[in-house]
Amino acid sequence: MTSTTPPAPATTRPSRSAPRPPSPVPVLAHVMIWGGAAAVLALWWSDTPSVVGASGWLTGAGRITGLLAGYACAILLLLMARVPLLDRAIGTDRLARWHALGGRCTISLVCAHVLLIIWGYSLESHTGVVDQTTTLVLHYPDLLKGTIGFLLFLVTAFVSARAVRRRLPYETWHLLHFATYLAVFLAFGHQLSDGADFTGNRPAQVVWYALSIVVATLLAWYRFAVPVRRALRHRLYVTEVRSEAPGVVSVYLSGSRLAELRAEPGQFFRWRFLTRGLWWAANPYSLSAAPHPTYLRITVKASGGHSAALARLRPGTRVLAEGPYGALTARRRRTRKTLLLGGGVGITPLRTLFETLPGEVILIYRARRPEDLALRAELDGVAAARGAVVHYVVDEPAAYSSPLTAGALRGLVPDLAERDVYVCGPPGMTRAALRALHEAGVPRRRVHHESFAF
């Protein structure tokens, strides 16, 4: 393990900021999304004087599902555009869950649109389904490209299915998922050239173009232009890799003007290490030390090929960092008392919050064995400096184990129901924690968690 001895993480004084009221952005986002869907339905309604016969009902339903699918594509891309306002107020993982749910709905709408339109047109023209499909694909404007886009949508849906995703490395899935951009691009043209609701309707065309241009601009700016600009400005590179626990290492990074990143404790970046075998993947890792003007630090557990390879990084390796992202920050705090509940390497964002959150803070850190308690010396130092309490819970030996239940949590934190609770850990531990906190009477609005299992 090579070293250039970066400064040790400094102990930061907790902020004195008061708890903030909930952000209105999530509610406004819901209103705007569903309001847009209602406007799409209104477009069909205003352009449809009557519906006659089975073919009319089928093609009408096909038009509605097509309009909603086109609108849903724009919303899906907007949710993943990494717009700072949405990311900080709603949270990256919550946006990802909305995106995943919306993706399933969009694929259903796209499939329904294709089947209903073909069926309705075949009834209207008294032809077979195969002949009608051939006519539509080969003779209607832009429908050949639309068909290719449809097939790409199906490929994306297949690789995103839970059973398939479990067998794919994150990096491979993420790369294949980019096919969605091409699918949306290919399908866009036929909406305006073949869609009865747009033909001859200039205002509707202008609005549809405007929606697409705004989303494309946000994607291009925040997903591509901003990361490139920051890479050139901050010039991040690895300074040291330190072992913290079995299979766990901390990576120290330095660069120029790091304070301008405006990272907050609890946030993460998507890191791309420009070395052989790692340069093509950008994986999310949380900061494990409070942001410092001269260095940043992440702490990573070897749970796959990418994370295991970080232990072999050499000082001087260039790094591209996209971010900061995430809303697991002090902004979510509603009370002056906080419980931090972490498991495994999920301690990394909580370690920064443990040091910087104001008020009375208790930390519960769960791991399989005592030697798996990464950053324990730092946590003990922070606890001593601010007069806070740390509870270490391990599965082995059994004498120090404790079930993750409402009763066990109340035993460690008697005033649990009065606190904000930040949770970060493996998916199984997080699910058990959320269930226990609900049973313990902690209101959902005061339970804050973030998952990187996108």
Side-chain angles (χ1 to χ4, degrees), residues 15-24 88-89 264 329-336 358 420 422 445-446 448:
S15 168
R16 295 178 179 270
S17 60
R20 302 187 181 190
S23 170
R88 290 178 182 270
E264 298 180 35
T329 66
R331 296 171 183 266
R332 285 192 174 184
R333 187 172 56 102
R334 303 287 173 259
T335 67
R336 296 187 178 278
D420 275 271
Y422 289 74
R445 67 182 181 277
R446 287 200 268 110
H448 319 296

Side-chain angles (χ1 to χ4, degrees), residues 151-174:
L151 296 176
L152 288 174
F153 273 122
L154 294 183
V155 170
T156 304
F158 175 76
V159 300
S160 297
R162 186 171 302 176
V164 178
R165 277 199 62 182
R166 288 173 178 169
R167 291 173 170 80
L168 287 176
Y170 169 82
E171 298 82 7
T172 303
W173 169 84
H174 191 257

Side-chain angles (χ1 to χ4, degrees), residues 335-398:
T335 67
R336 296 187 178 278
K337 294 194 293 185
T338 308
L339 168 65
L340 306 176
L341 179 54
V345 79
I347 193 62
T348 53
L350 301 188
R351 183 255 181 257
T352 64
L353 292 171
F354 187 48
E355 182 178 358
T356 58
L357 276 177
E360 181 187 324
V361 181
I362 294 177
L363 171 65
I364 299 177
Y365 183 11
R366 305 179 63 90
R368 192 163 68 89
R369 303 167 301 174
E371 54 266 35
D372 296 325
L373 294 167
L375 308 177
R376 182 170 183 173
E378 291 184 17
L379 295 172
D380 289 338
V382 171
R386 65 176 300 169
V389 176
V390 183
H391 296 290
Y392 296 107
V393 179
V394 293
D395 297 330
E396 304 169 6

Side-chain angles (χ1 to χ4, degrees), residues 43 46 133 155 167 174-175 190 193 247 277 285 384 409:
L43 173 63
S46 65
T133 302
V155 170
R167 291 173 170 80
H174 191 257
L175 187 64
H190 100 279
S193 56
Y285 299 118
L409 289 177

Side-chain angles (χ1 to χ4, degrees), residues 3-238:
S3 172
T4 57
T5 316
T11 301
T12 305
R13 286 183 176 272
S15 168
R16 295 178 179 270
S17 60
R20 302 187 181 190
S23 170
V25 172
V27 175
L28 292 175
H30 275 291
V31 171
M32 293 181 67
I33 290 171
W34 292 109
V40 168
L41 293 176
L43 173 63
W44 173 84
W45 181 269
S46 65
D47 196 50
T48 308
S50 62
V51 179
V52 180
S55 62
W57 284 104
L58 288 171
T59 54
R63 285 167 55 194
I64 290 173
T65 52
L67 287 168
L68 289 174
Y71 172 72
C73 286
I75 297 302
L76 289 180
L77 295 179
L78 178 62
L79 291 176
M80 290 289 99
R82 300 175 187 166
V83 179
L85 175 64
L86 298 179
D87 187 83
R88 290 178 182 270
I90 298 175
T92 304
D93 69 322
R94 192 174 176 189
L95 289 172
R97 290 196 297 272
W98 289 6
H99 175 83
L101 176 60
R104 291 190 287 270
C105 294
T106 302
I107 292 296
S108 300
L109 288 169
V110 169
C111 291
H113 166 67
V114 171
L115 295 175
L116 289 167
I117 286 294
I118 293 174
W119 190 6
Y121 277 31
S122 67
L123 288 179
E124 185 176 348
S125 61
H126 305 288
T127 59
V129 170
V130 175
D131 290 339
Q132 186 60 55
T133 302
T134 303
T135 299
L136 287 170
V137 172
L138 298 181
H139 299 291
Y140 276 61
D142 296 314
L143 255 182
L144 181 57
K145 291 191 295 184
T147 302
I148 297 173
F150 170 63
L151 296 176
L152 288 174
F153 273 122
L154 294 183
V155 170
T156 304
F158 175 76
V159 300
S160 297
R162 186 171 302 176
V164 178
R165 277 199 62 182
R166 288 173 178 169
R167 291 173 170 80
L168 287 176
Y170 169 82
E171 298 82 7
T172 303
W173 169 84
H174 191 257
L175 187 64
L176 292 173
H177 210 66
F178 275 108
T180 306
Y181 293 143
L182 181 58
V184 173
F185 174 76
L186 291 172
F188 178 78
H190 100 279
Q191 298 174 51
L192 297 175
S193 56
D194 299 314
D197 301 288
F198 294 107
T199 304
N201 189 340
R202 181 61 63 181
Q205 293 176 11
V206 170
V207 171
W208 209 253
Y209 268 115
L211 174 63
S212 301
I213 290 172
V214 167
V215 172
T217 301
L218 291 173
L219 274 170
W221 180 251
Y222 288 112
R223 294 289 303 256
F224 301 102
V226 169
V228 170
R229 186 184 67 170
R230 287 180 173 172
L232 295 174
R233 185 169 183 80
H234 300 296
R235 297 184 172 276
L236 287 168
Y237 61 93
V238 175

